[in-house]
Amino acid sequence: MQLADFSDFLAAARTQPEAQRLLFVFAVAELPQAHSPGQARRFEEGRGGALAPVMCVDKGLDELDGFAALAEESRATGQPWDMVFVAALAGEQGAAPQPAGIERGLKMMIDAVHRGAIERFLAFDTQGDAVRFA
């Protein structure tokens, strides 16, 4: 399934048979401490760098009107971010995901972003457009 933006993701999540909890990890692009001059140049050109998680949140589908509301809520924290990683956690047998599972999922996502193991997540830029990594 090709998702062009966050609204496509929400539409897909709303079609799932089990209750969904959406997990969000917001990240900022930064230049790693141990970087080469080439890495610094690419980072200054808007390419490369490392992604560092700066905050996370979980939301039910009923708590989310769209990307603009999510972005506004995140801006209210005062914490800047460049990209948000998203995963959906499904409930079981008609029940919503449990708090312990949600916490585990968020911790797993944060660790994965730290390691650069982001291929399992959807990523969106600050405008809500899907980001694809080459």
Side-chain angles (χ1 to χ4, degrees):
M1 171 187 320
Q2 288 286 63
L3 302 176
D5 57 27
F6 191 77
S7 61
D8 289 349
F9 167 67
L10 279 182
R14 287 186 170 117
T15 66
Q16 299 305 305
E18 294 290 343
Q20 301 287 306
R21 195 78 186 166
L22 306 182
L23 309 180
F24 300 93
V25 173
F26 296 82
V28 64
E30 62 184 17
L31 188 60
Q33 282 187 327
H35 60 273
S36 69
Q39 287 173 314
R41 185 182 72 259
R42 285 189 300 278
F43 183 77
E44 291 302 319
E45 294 170 351
R47 301 179 297 128
L51 291 167
V54 292
M55 62 183 164
C56 64
V57 69
D58 65 285
K59 297 274 185 189
L61 288 169
D62 60 333
E63 300 174 274
L64 200 56
D65 292 330
F67 191 80
L70 178 68
E72 182 59 34
E73 183 180 329
S74 71
R75 279 192 284 278
T77 69
Q79 175 62 59
W81 55 276
D82 298 307
M83 187 172 305
V84 61
F85 292 96
V86 183
L89 182 64
E92 294 180 20
Q93 299 175 354
Q98 297 300 305
I102 294 166
E103 186 174 336
R104 266 193 315 276
L106 286 169
K107 286 180 179 179
M108 181 273 309
M109 286 179 71
I110 291 167
D111 180 59
V113 172
H114 274 295
R115 292 182 290 110
I118 55 175
E119 61 279 348
R120 296 185 304 182
F121 311 124
L122 296 173
F124 299 95
D125 65 15
T126 58
Q127 302 303 307
D129 293 323
V131 175
R132 288 169 182 64
F133 297 94

